[in-house]
């Protein structure tokens, strides 16, 4: 949903994408507060487009930073790094390996008993994008990933996992994805319910969970698996 910009003088503050490259720059050594590790920016930047002489902005805008690097998997691929040479680990594989009976679908985060202690003690050090599938899309090799991160937002949208599941085509970028956090109504009785009012995908809890297990995606126009 786009909204028209009435006061176009604010466009003087527009930032071209090329000028955001500094956000990707890694820092050597320790940076106080590790602020430069941020990889997701919810409504901190606004996407603007021009159409038929008018300007429009997206009222909800989640900007995420990813780096695509084909490196030897002996080197750890940290949060935000997409390595096509990694071992394939689907969400189902992850759940089976975790040996957890009651899996937390909200976060896709339970990797072994006592995971809450690990999440709170390890924090961002346990976050990661996992390679799930190798695909051929429009004749080119593409890679499907899913994001492991805690569901740590107590009010408003829980965007820690961001796009959650997505397909990356090296020649184009991300061409498919699933923003689960935006299309999920809070559970009945949840103190977060007011924050999510009116936002729902219309699925039952079982259907929603099955979509995650099946790693379903919304695809950009003109792209399809060969």
């Amino acid at each position: 949903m786009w909204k028209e910009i009435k006061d176009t003088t604010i466009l003087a503050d527009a930032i071209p994408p090329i000028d955001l490259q500094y956000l990707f720059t890694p820092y050597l050594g320790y940076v106080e507060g590790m602020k430069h590790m941020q990889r997701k920016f919810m409504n901190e930047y606004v996407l603007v487009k021009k159409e038929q002489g008018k300007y429009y902005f997206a009222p909800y805008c989640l900007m995420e930073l990813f780096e695509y690097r084909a490196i030897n998997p002996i080197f750890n691929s940290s949060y935000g790094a997409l390595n096509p040479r990694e071992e394939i680990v689907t969400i189902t594989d992850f759940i089976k390996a975790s040996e957890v009976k009651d899996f937390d679908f909200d976060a896709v985060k339970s990797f072994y008993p006592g995971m809450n202690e690990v999440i709170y003690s390890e924090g961002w050090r346990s976050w990661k994008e996992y390679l799930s599938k190798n695909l051929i899309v429009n004749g080119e090799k593409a890679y499907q990933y899913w994001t492991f991160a805690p569901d740590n937002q107590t009010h408003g949208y829980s965007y820690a996992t961001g796009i959650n599941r997505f397909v990356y085509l090296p020649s184009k970028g991300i061409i498919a994805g699933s923003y689960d956090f935006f299309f999920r109504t809070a559970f009945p009785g949840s103190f977060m319910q007011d924050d999510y009012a009116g936002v729902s995908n219309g699925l039952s809890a079982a259907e929603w969970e099955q979509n995650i297990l099946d790693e379903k995606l919304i695809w950009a126009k003109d792209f399809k698996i060969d």
Side-chain angles (χ1 to χ4, degrees), residues 135-204:
L135 305 169
I136 301 297
V137 177
N138 292 9
E140 297 182 52
K141 195 164 186 178
Y143 308 93
Q144 183 165 325
Y145 293 88
W146 65 275
T147 305
F148 171 89
D151 185 6
N152 59 348
Q153 193 81 2
T154 55
H155 294 284
Y157 294 114
S158 182
Y159 57 87
T161 54
I163 196 170
N164 205 304
R165 304 178 298 284
F166 58 96
V167 173
Y168 179 81
L169 184 65
S171 65
K172 297 292 183 181
I174 292 176
I175 57 173
S178 179
Y179 290 93
D180 293 337
F181 75 89
F182 189 76
F183 297 100
R184 180 73 192 276
T185 303
F187 289 110
S190 168
F191 65 92
M192 295 172 61
Q193 201 161 11
D194 290 340
D195 296 319
Y196 283 75
V199 180
S200 174
N201 54 25
L203 300 176
S204 67

